[in-house]
Amino acid sequence: MEKAWWVALGVVVALALVTAVVDGRGRLGARRRPQQPGAPAPGEVWWAVDEPPPEPHTPPGMRLCLVLGVHGGRARVARVTTSESAPGADELPLPPESVSARETDARTPRVRAGGPGEDVELKDLRYRAGRVDAALWRRVRDGQG
């Protein structure tokens, strides 16, 4: 009888150890990885590939976009428009320091607040064009056009 208690205690300890290891690995995997240098971050304006080129040796079109979030190998972005038409009620003008004038053809860039955005591959975000200030970022993020 005394030997059976030791065997039962050993089984309970082994199960507790296996459970702790499996649970610990699951929790460690759920931690956020630190932002890699040069990777897009929310609140940054990036140039993205607009669509695949129509012919094999033609350069793709590029467009400005504001990064709303990054998840895995994809980013949720909002398009930045630079049209000369009057801004809509839900469009916010980007400050001049967020994107240089040469990047936008001297027109005022605007971003739509509160829109759902669209998903793009991280590889399609080519280079960083600027960053929006904290006040504008809060308005875009909270959808306050």
Side-chain angles (χ1 to χ4, degrees), residues 33-91:
R33 288 177 285 224
Q35 183 77 24
Q36 294 179 353
E44 291 182 343
V45 179
W46 280 71
W47 280 102
V49 175
D50 196 9
E51 57 187 50
E55 297 176 22
H57 300 293
T58 330
M62 299 291 279
R63 65 181 160 97
L64 280 171
C65 59
L66 174 65
V67 178
L68 302 174
V70 178
H71 304 287
R74 300 187 68 78
R76 177 148 304 240
V77 300
R79 285 184 181 235
V80 174
T81 61
T82 56
S83 65
E84 295 177 8
S85 63
D90 60 347
E91 290 183 334

Side-chain angles (χ1 to χ4, degrees), residues 35-41 44 46 122 125-128:
Q35 183 77 24
Q36 294 179 353
E44 291 182 343
W46 280 71
L122 286 181
L125 296 175
R126 295 301 165 93
Y127 64 93
R128 187 176 182 263

